[in-house]
Amino acid sequence: MTRRVHGLSREGRDLGVYARGWGAEVEARPIGERWCATLYSNQLSAVEHPEFKAALEAFIAKAKEKGILTGEQAERKAARLSAGPNAVEIAGVEFCVAPVWKDDEKKALKTVLILYQPADRGQFEEAVKALEELGLAKDADFAATWDDKGRGDIWLKAGAFDKAMVALKTAGLREGEDYTVKRAKGGGYIRVKNPKEDLGKALEVFKKAGLEEGRDYTVYSGQGVICLTVPEALWTIAWRAKIGDARAKAALDQLLEAAERLGIRQYFEEKIRPVLMAGTKNAVGKKMTLEEKGITVEITGFKVE
């Protein structure tokens, strides 16, 4: 079978990139101004199988190695791949939808996290601006924070990866306790668990080992977090969609589709039902209790200004 995945922006002029990972093969070629990644596998289940994801991860690493993607571009695409089917686009910003359950059995839903976590300050500020232009209010419909030392991610090129591993161990830093490792064909990631204290130590170790930033590795230390407020952000998006905002309608549709895949669509629909019913005859007289705030609201009429 063949599975084609569209949407990888063309970032170069190479004729194609081929990679293999765990039983699946993926080939990417430019078509017009975009890249098309084609997965070849004999397994019908490959469309939802780990081999598919692994093959695409190998492709991203190979594209970075060949210079088609920069380190930052590769990281964004890897993050989008990790987000998987829970990813939704709101005002051009890629959010991840994650349910938070009240217990381990996942029978009762506590809330839903709708997060965007950029590693670039410019992307963070652009995302805040885009949400505000959509009509969402900061500190009401969404929270946005930036931490210059919030991450400790280091991308190492293939030739420097093994040398870095040896240097870290020699310096007494322990894999699994002080940092985690993700290996790839084009090199690998090191994630320092306590960046505020240990990122500087790791970089000093690399320097002593003769590794040079920019040549052998790239550091991603800044971390932004944008979290939509539930249900306030859902109300705003639903209302703007109701009055004809096409971007809000597209965002709402994606949120509901993601909720459907996660099995929590009813939760979303219950949150936005008062907004969707606003101005309709059937809404008057309805009561809604906000359990977490202990408030009961009865709809008696509407006035839109």
Side-chain angles (χ1 to χ4, degrees):
M1 61 162 283
T2 299
R3 167 75 168 177
R4 287 183 172 84
V5 179
H6 300 276
L8 296 176
S9 299
R10 185 174 182 182
E11 311 272 7
R13 293 290 176 181
D14 199 282
L15 291 179
V17 178
Y18 176 82
R20 175 179 299 169
W22 294 272
E25 300 172 355
V26 66
E27 182 179 17
R29 289 186 174 277
I31 299 178
E33 292 300 317
R34 302 173 70 82
W35 282 87
C36 175
T38 305
L39 175 78
Y40 301 94
S41 172
N42 292 325
Q43 301 181 49
L44 185 61
S45 61
V47 291
E48 299 294 343
H49 203 281
E51 276 86 345
F52 177 48
K53 181 179 177 181
L56 282 177
E57 286 176 337
F59 158 66
I60 292 171
K62 177 64 71 173
K64 180 179 180 295
E65 180 183 334
K66 296 184 69 126
I68 296 172
L69 297 176
T70 65
E72 181 181 335
Q73 290 164 343
E75 183 182 20
R76 288 204 307 268
K77 294 186 186 302
R80 182 173 182 178
L81 181 60
S82 296
N86 300 349
V88 299
E89 186 176 295
I90 302 173
V93 182
E94 190 109 340
F95 283 84
C96 178
V97 180
V100 179
W101 303 95
K102 293 182 179 179
D103 51 49
D104 294 337
E105 295 181 0
K106 297 184 178 180
K107 292 183 178 180
L109 188 63
K110 183 177 181 180
T111 187
V112 176
L113 294 177
I114 307 175
L115 291 171
Y116 172 57
Q117 296 178 291
D120 178 81
R121 184 63 182 263
Q123 292 174 8
F124 171 79
E125 292 174 350
E126 287 175 6
V128 170
K129 182 179 179 182
L131 293 175
E132 290 178 332
E133 289 177 349
L134 182 62
L136 299 178
K138 186 179 179 183
D139 299 326
D141 295 319
F142 69 94
T145 58
W146 176 265
D147 187 348
D148 284 320
K149 294 294 182 181
R151 296 181 61 188
D153 286 1
I154 307 169
W155 171 267
L156 287 141
K157 293 185 178 179
F161 187 80
D162 291 338
K163 189 175 182 180
M165 291 294 97
V166 173
L168 289 172
K169 291 178 181 178
T170 302
L173 292 172
R174 295 157 296 184
E175 183 177 347
E177 294 185 28
D178 300 313
Y179 62 92
T180 57
V181 175
K182 184 176 181 181
R183 294 171 173 82
K185 286 188 176 182
Y189 270 111
I190 294 175
R191 171 160 289 179
V192 177
K193 290 192 173 182
N194 189 350
K196 287 182 172 60
E197 295 183 8
D198 295 334
L199 179 59
K201 294 179 184 177
L203 297 180
E204 186 62 28
V205 168
F206 292 167
K207 184 178 180 180
K208 291 180 179 179
L211 299 175
E212 182 180 329
E213 184 174 355
R215 183 193 66 188
D216 300 308
Y217 64 89
T218 304
V219 182
Y220 303 95
S221 60
Q223 177 68 69
V225 178
I226 298 177
C227 182
L228 297 192
T229 307
V230 176
E232 289 82 357
L234 297 180
W235 291 344
T236 299
I237 292 171
W239 176 253
R240 296 194 66 83
K242 182 179 177 68
I243 62 177
D245 188 319
R247 293 190 305 162
K249 177 64 166 59
L252 182 61
D253 288 344
Q254 286 198 46
L255 283 167
L256 291 174
E257 288 172 5
E260 180 76 32
R261 292 192 295 269
L262 293 167
I264 58 172
R265 185 183 178 103
Q266 184 178 355
Y267 174 88
F268 275 64
E269 290 179 339
E270 288 177 353
K271 293 297 183 185
I272 65 175
R273 184 173 290 115
V275 176
L276 298 181
M277 293 180 70
T280 68
K281 185 177 180 180
N282 293 335
V284 177
K286 297 294 183 180
K287 291 184 178 181
M288 179 179 181
T289 300
L290 306 178
E291 295 180 0
E292 64 273 18
K293 297 180 180 179
I295 300 173
T296 299
V297 178
E298 181 177 357
I299 302 173
T300 58
F302 299 96
K303 182 180 179 181
V304 180
E305 297 180 349

